[in-house]
Structures are given as structure tokens and as C-alpha cells.
Amino acid sequence: MERLRYLLVLLSLLHATDSFYVPGVAPINFHRNDPVEIKAVKLTSSRTQLPYEYYSLPFCQPTKITYKAENLGEVLRGDRIVNTPFQVSMSVEKKCEVLCNFPNKPVTLTVEQSKLIAERIREDYYVHLIADNLPVATRLEFYSNREEEEKKKEKDVQFEHGYRLGFMDGNKFYLHNHLSFILYYHREDVEENQEPTYRVVRFEVIPQSIKLEDLKADEKGMCTLPEATGSAPQEIDPSKENQMLFTYSVHWEESDIKWASRWDTYLTMSDVQIHWFSIINSVVVVFFLSGILSMIIIRTLRKDIANYNKEDDIEDTMEESGWKLVHGDVFRPPQYPMILSSLLGSGIQLFCMILIVIFVAMLGMLSPSSRGALMTTACFLFMFMGVFGGFFAGRLYRTLKGHRWKKGAFCTATLYPGVVFGICFVLNCFIWGKHSSGAVPFPTMVALLCMWFGISLPLVYLGYYFGFRKQPYDNPVRTNQIPRQIPEQRWYMNKFVGILMAGILPFGAMFIELFFIFSAIWENQFYYLFGFLFLVFIILVVSCSQISIVMVYFQLCAEDYRWWWRTFLVSGGSAFYVLIYAIFYFVNKLDIVEFIPSLLYFGYTALMVLSFWLLTGTIGFYAAYMFVRKIYAAVKID
């Protein structure tokens, strides 16, 4: 009764809570004239994939530059959040103000600085600012393919992350040196005697390029914007020094958008209906195919088991064929059992990490408003999931008659993470050479190594120890001493043909989602539909399991009992299609021409493909293993 009372009190407290805020993203209430700090995040370009710090270009600087303490995810993303000299106050309008300290004295860019700015404009760089943790966006208005009458009524609005550093006209470069900030606020309900409070709900910018002569500035730092028709843009000539003024204006607008919904504008930047329709279509197709495969395999198996269990005469018994014939070899340990169990252990580690991350993100705890939270959580979870990876690897290694458990545990803890760290270190050296903020600093690299050897390695050893001590998996039939000869196989039973055939169904389940994930990674978009991603992940698990069972059944029917490694390789066949899709995406969607950005793309894509292969291979292997144990336990074997 006492426990029940405590439970009821807890439930009533939860029911009384009106709103739930994730730690670190609670709303900030501003009063009139309160300062709203504008911070800079980084410069990005989908053409180079190399982020840079805001002050890597000669922008106006405040008296004291202060960098925000970033979490692990922000550092790995290349975010370097820093203060800026923009002076913005809640609901205070500014028509035009000079940004730098000397109102009448223009900023002089040296030849080197002019060359650098021209190069960044050519590379199509965007500047990313934030106000109250909201990213700045550029409004894009256009007419959709509607009827002529509707065209006149309204335009479709989309938002572009950040604003363009400048633009090119022919061979000339023009810099956006004037920023018109439009900030939307929501007035909060307060009591009569209290001062009204406001919350920032949207942050837009209209970048403009205005020539020095057209910006008339006085001694107080105020300036006058020219008429839109008569102004000339601010050219940057990379062959000489350039003079200009950096200016900005601030406009406030009241909005009905509530603070809790303020990210919706940023997250609906592409047509979501296409996304929904495509995913539902994929889900229906995969469920339909999975249903057909299940029906066929169950009916065939029932027939096989019924035939094998018949008490027929000796002549019929002598003529038995199919998967029952290899019962004495089907559980024979494969070659390199330590490497197989290590790869499967890493696959389990990845599976647990991805499942938890997607589930938590689906609950809204890892939204884009929590910068770097997704990557930080993924890194820490992978380290802590080492205990499960070690346990499954250790138990399988013992089942496969392995004896050197310490070496097996070390292999599990270092094989996959070692490959990932090696590739990332090589790529990081190239990024260092470009002086990009995307380069992982040396202290962060040391911290990641400490996490690997201080958290993941001991946990893998701990899990491996208990997994190795546990009773091995119970195989229903004994293994013969002499291996059976394998008959010559048909062409379609070839390993590579199997990889191509098995990869189609799982890839079909998730290739639409892959497009949105690639857009988020390589084109600086926000990814937020974690509910759909969770659904697609479940479908991926189902389709990998189904196709793996079908492939192993065909293999055993062909009297080929070497299924351990083959199931793992074939189940990961969809990773091959992911690689093909990545090449297609690179050629058709991205505008990357330089060597280092191309190297980064294919280096990180290789890591994605490797991880996806481990994940799908592990899912398929365990599904096939359970299936093989089940069918051999169902037949009578003398």
C-alpha cells in the first residue's frame, strides 16, 4: 500500500506538470530593451564540405572575442560559437547602423583578405548566425505550379539556412556587407501590473551588397540606405585593397507562433508530403514482400519437416536430400571464428546504440535545438554499449569452440573502432591542412582515445568475460568428425550473386530516407523526422531477417553448410547498394570538384557503408542462426 501511495503521488505530480522542457533548451523571457545576443556559428559550403570559423574572414570584431564552451558533438560538427559586435535589443528598431568602431572610417581589406573573401564567395559559402539559439534563415519566395488565379494570390515560402556570403556576376565578386535582421517575437501572457515579457520565435535576414559611396554614415555611426533601384553592389577586387562599410539594421515583428513551435518554420524547408508518401509506400511494399516470403518459406518448411519425419522404408531414407542431409556439418565452426565473433560484437554494439539514439530522438530529446546532442549521445552510447557487444561476441566465440577469450575481447574492442579511428585520423590531417574548423582539435582526439580505452575497452572485456563463461548456444544436432563433401553449386548460388540479390529488399525499405539523411549531412539541412526513421529502422530489421532466412534456406537445400560467414556477408548486401547510391548522389546532387572535399566525402561514406554492413550483417546473421537451430530441432535425426 505504501508503494502504491508513492506511485499515485508521483503520477499526480507528473499530471500537474503543464510543460516539459529538455535541460538546456528552456525558454528565455526578454523585457523591452533587454539585449538579444547575436552569435556566429561557422561558415559552411556544400561545395567544399569544409566549415570555417566566423573570424577566419575579416569581419568586424567585438572588443573581446569569447568562444562558447562546446560539447563533443559541436566540436565534431565544426561549430565554433563566438560573440559578434551586433547590438540588438528586444523590440528596439534600428534603421541602419555601422558595425565597426569607426563610423566614418571604412574597413580596408588587404590584398590577401580580398583574395580570401573572393575565394569563399566563389566556393558558395554561407554564414550561420544564431539569436537566442535560433539559426538565422533567408526567406525564399516563389510561385509553385498552381493555377494562374492562385498564382496571383500567394507565394510559397521556404527558408535557406544562413545567408550567402556574397555572389558572383560574371568574373566579379560582390560581398553582402549590409544585413537587415528581422526578428519575430511572441508576447507572453502576464498579469496586469507586471511588465510584458517577450520570446524570440524566428530569426530572418535579408543580406544586401551596397557600395561604400552609397552608404552615407555620420559621426554617431548612423547610416542611410540608398533607394533599392539606384544602389550599386559592393565589389571585391581580389587583385587590390578594398574599402567598405559593414552595416546592419534591425526590425521587430510580433508573431502568433508560440515558443514551443518556433522550430517548425526551420524544419519544414522541403516538401514533407513527398517524404511521408514515399516512406509509407516503402513500408507497404516491404511488408507485402515480407509477407509473401514468410508464407512461402513456412509452407515449404512444413512440407520438408513432414517428409523428413515420416517413418518410411530404408530405400526412401537412403534417398533423402536437401537441408536435412547436411545436419552433421551445419554447426561445424567456420574459419576465423575470432574475427567473425568480433565483427558481430561490434554489430551488436552499433545496433544497440542506433536503436536507443533513434528512440530517444523520436521522443524529442535530441532535436536540432540541442546543438551537437545527437552526435554526443551517439559517441557515449557506443562506448557504453561495449558491454553488450562483448557479451554476445564472447558467447558466440565459445559456441564456435574458441579458447583465447582475452585475445578475442581485445579484437572485439579494437577491430571496428580502430578502422574508424584510422580513417578519421587520416581525413583529419587533410582538414588540418586546410585550417578548417571541421578539424578535430588534438585535445578532443586525446579525449576520444581516453573514452575508447578507458570506457569501451574495459566494458567489452567485462561483457566478453561473462559471455564466455556463460553456457554456449545449444545446437540441436551433433557435428560429424569428417566434413562432408559439398556438391558443385549452381551459378545463382555464388556469393556475389547472393549479395546482389539479398541487398535489394532492405535497401528498398530505406533508400528514400537515405536521401534525406544525405541531404542533412552534406547540404547542411536539419534532419528531424525521427519517428519515420524509427519505423524505417524496424522495417530494415524485418527485411534483413527475412532475406537472410531465405538465403540460408536455399544454401542448405543446395547442401552447402558453410553458412556462417556467408550469411554475415550476404545479409550486409544492402551496404553495396548504399555505396552505389552514395556515388550517384555525389555525381548528380553535389557540386564538389576539388580533391580534398571529394576525399572527405568518400572517406566518410566508406565509414557509413562499413557501419551499415556490420549492422545489417549482424541482424541477418542472428536471424539465420535462430532459424537454422529451429528447423534442425524440428526434425527427427537418428
Side-chain angles (χ1 to χ4, degrees):
M1 286 298 290
E2 196 68 28
R3 286 181 183 177
L4 186 62
R5 195 176 301 151
Y6 282 132
L7 185 62
L8 287 170
V9 170
L10 182 63
L11 285 170
S12 64
L13 284 171
L14 286 171
H15 183 68
T17 307
D18 291 325
S19 55
F20 170 73
Y21 295 118
V22 179
V25 291
I28 298 173
N29 291 325
F30 296 92
H31 295 289
R32 190 178 293 277
N33 295 324
D34 277 0
V36 178
E37 197 173 2
I38 306 289
K39 293 183 179 179
V41 182
K42 58 183 172 182
L43 309 169
T44 62
S45 167
S46 56
R47 292 186 67 182
T48 67
Q49 301 298 332
L50 291 166
Y52 286 96
E53 286 188 38
Y54 181 69
Y55 291 122
S56 64
L57 292 181
F59 291 121
C60 293
Q61 297 184 2
T63 7
K64 186 184 178 185
I65 294 177
T66 312
Y67 283 92
K68 173 187 167 285
E70 285 113 0
N71 58 40
L72 178 63
E74 287 175 318
V75 172
L76 295 177
R77 278 160 44 101
D79 293 357
R80 300 291 182 271
I81 299 173
V82 66
N83 60 329
T84 61
F86 295 107
Q87 300 292 322
V88 178
S89 301
M90 174 55 74
S91 69
V92 175
E93 300 272 327
K94 285 190 179 181
K95 286 188 177 177
C96 181
E97 195 167 299
V98 178
L99 188 58
C100 290
N101 296 331
F102 307 100
N104 289 324
K105 188 179 176 185
V107 176
T108 305
L109 301 179
T110 62
V111 179
E112 288 77 18
Q113 289 173 334
S114 301
K115 276 182 184 173
L116 185 60
I117 287 179
E119 188 185 342
R120 296 285 180 264
I121 292 171
R122 185 192 290 112
E123 290 169 342
D124 202 20
Y125 266 85
Y126 281 74
V127 183
H128 297 273
L129 306 173
I130 52 171
D132 188 29
N133 201 37
L134 268 184
V136 75
T138 309
R139 179 189 288 259
L140 301 174
E141 293 183 345
F142 59 93
Y143 291 112
S144 60
N145 297 325
R146 297 180 182 170
E147 297 296 326
E148 290 297 323
E149 295 143 1
E150 288 188 358
K151 273 189 181 182
K152 293 171 188 174
K153 289 181 186 175
E154 59 176 313
K155 296 176 182 177
D156 279 347
V157 177
Q158 282 192 3
F159 291 92
E160 205 170 41
H161 298 297
Y163 69 90
R164 287 177 186 269
L165 177 64
F167 61 94
M168 286 181 68
D169 186 6
N171 291 323
K172 292 184 177 180
F173 302 92
Y174 300 98
L175 176 70
H176 286 138
N177 58 327
H178 177 82
L179 301 178
S180 299
F181 293 130
I182 305 167
L183 290 107
Y184 293 78
Y185 64 87
H186 180 74
R187 190 193 296 267
E188 293 301 303
D189 296 328
V190 292
E191 293 178 14
E192 288 182 11
N193 300 328
Q194 288 185 334
E195 190 183 347
T197 58
Y198 309 93
R199 291 178 181 175
V200 180
V201 292
R202 195 191 294 175
F203 182 26
E204 291 180 24
V205 66
I206 301 171
Q208 291 171 270
S209 181
I210 304 171
K211 202 173 181 181
L212 174 64
E213 289 76 14
D214 293 341
L215 280 168
K216 299 175 180 66
D218 59 21
E219 292 180 359
K220 293 180 181 177
M222 301 300 167
C223 54
T224 310
L225 292 175
E227 292 294 329
T229 51
S231 63
Q234 175 63 56
E235 187 185 346
I236 301 291
D237 190 343
S239 61
K240 64 176 186 182
E241 289 186 348
N242 291 275
Q243 289 193 326
M244 70 182 66
L245 280 176
F246 285 103
T247 56
Y248 70 104
S249 58
V250 181
H251 174 61
W252 289 90
E253 282 189 26
E254 190 167 356
S255 172
D256 294 331
I257 299 169
K258 291 194 175 178
W259 187 89
S261 309
R262 65 180 191 159
W263 274 85
D264 293 356
T265 310
Y266 298 88
L267 300 180
T268 53
M269 294 198 179
S270 56
D271 197 345
V272 181
Q273 286 187 344
I274 293 172
H275 196 165
W276 288 31
F277 177 75
S278 303
I279 291 173
I280 291 167
N281 187 43
S282 299
V283 167
V284 169
V285 169
V286 169
F287 265 128
F288 181 68
L289 290 174
S290 299
I292 291 172
L293 287 174
S294 305
M295 197 167 64
I296 291 169
I297 202 101
I298 288 167
R299 287 186 66 181
T300 312
L301 268 173
R302 278 181 179 169
K303 193 177 176 184
D304 286 351
I305 291 167
N307 288 337
Y308 291 153
N309 288 340
K310 276 181 185 175
E311 295 294 335
D312 290 331
D313 54 26
I314 299 167
E315 288 180 11
D316 289 341
T317 310
M318 293 294 286
E319 291 175 6
E320 70 174 19
S321 63
W323 53 267
K324 186 183 176 185
L325 203 59
V326 293
H327 67 83
D329 298 277
V330 74
F331 293 109
R332 186 178 302 283
Q335 284 185 310
Y336 315 114
M338 186 184 291
I339 297 174
L340 178 64
S341 59
S342 299
L343 291 172
L344 288 165
S346 296
I348 290 288
Q349 210 171 336
L350 271 172
F351 178 81
C352 295
M353 180 265 283
I354 291 169
L355 183 66
I356 295 170
V357 164
I358 296 175
F359 184 73
V360 173
M362 185 179 68
L363 299 177
M365 310 257 317
L366 298 175
S367 69
S369 58
S370 311
R371 295 178 184 282
L374 187 73
M375 203 170 284
T376 308
T377 308
C379 286
F380 276 97
L381 268 175
F382 183 79
M383 302 294 174
F384 284 106
M385 291 301 113
V387 68
F388 294 105
F391 179 83
F392 279 90
R395 192 172 183 195
L396 183 69
Y397 183 58
R398 187 176 179 186
T399 306
L400 299 178
K401 307 290 190 291
H403 301 292
R404 296 174 294 176
W405 75 269
K406 290 179 184 175
K407 191 177 177 183
F410 183 77
C411 189
T412 306
T414 55
L415 188 60
Y416 169 70
V419 171
V420 171
F421 187 83
I423 292 174
C424 287
F425 182 77
V426 171
L427 294 177
N428 207 46
C429 291
F430 284 100
I431 304 173
W432 262 333
K434 284 283 190 177
H435 306 289
S436 166
S437 64
V440 179
F442 187 72
T444 308
M445 203 170 280
V446 172
L448 285 168
L449 280 171
C450 291
M451 282 169 62
W452 179 14
F453 289 107
I455 299 173
S456 184
L457 190 76
L459 285 176
V460 169
Y461 264 91
L462 182 70
Y464 211 98
Y465 172 73
F466 284 106
F468 194 77
R469 283 189 61 189
K470 196 170 173 63
Q471 194 71 19
Y473 293 112
D474 183 30
N475 295 327
V477 290
R478 291 193 304 272
T479 304
N480 295 337
Q481 288 185 346
I482 300 167
R484 179 185 177 83
Q485 191 174 359
I486 298 165
E488 190 178 341
Q489 299 295 304
R490 297 285 182 90
W491 65 269
Y492 53 80
M493 294 305 295
N494 185 279
K495 192 183 298 176
F496 299 105
V497 176
I499 287 171
L500 292 176
M501 288 168 61
I504 293 171
L505 186 62
F507 179 74
M510 46 80 71
F511 88 97
I512 296 292
E513 205 64 24
L514 203 61
F515 169 76
F516 291 96
I517 291 169
F518 270 58
S519 299
I521 295 171
W522 303 113
E523 295 187 46
N524 297 309
Q525 300 291 326
F526 286 122
Y527 185 85
Y528 67 101
L529 285 175
F530 290 103
F532 278 117
L533 187 62
F534 185 76
L535 180 62
V536 168
F537 183 71
I538 298 299
I539 295 300
L540 181 69
V541 171
V542 171
S543 55
C544 277
S545 306
Q546 295 271 350
I547 207 73
S548 175
I549 288 168
V550 170
M551 296 304 285
V552 80
Y553 175 73
F554 286 149
Q555 187 181 345
L556 294 176
C557 284
E559 298 175 20
D560 185 356
Y561 53 80
R562 299 168 302 182
W563 64 273
W564 300 89
W565 269 107
R566 180 155 173 174
T567 302
F568 181 61
L569 293 169
V570 166
S571 302
S574 49
F576 171 75
Y577 289 99
V578 173
L579 177 62
I580 299 297
Y581 180 79
I583 296 167
F584 168 81
Y585 190 88
F586 179 83
V587 173
N588 285 282
K589 297 287 181 183
L590 296 179
D591 191 19
I592 297 176
V593 285
E594 293 181 19
F595 169 70
I596 290 179
S598 304
L599 183 71
L600 291 178
Y601 179 85
F602 285 107
Y604 289 129
T605 299
L607 287 181
M608 285 173 62
V609 169
L610 173 65
S611 305
F612 191 73
W613 172 67
L614 274 180
L615 175 71
T616 50
T618 302
I619 293 165
F621 175 86
Y622 276 100
Y625 190 28
M626 287 165 61
F627 169 76
V628 170
R629 286 171 60 198
K630 197 82 175 168
I631 62 170
Y632 282 98
V635 293
K636 295 175 187 174
I637 293 166
D638 299 327

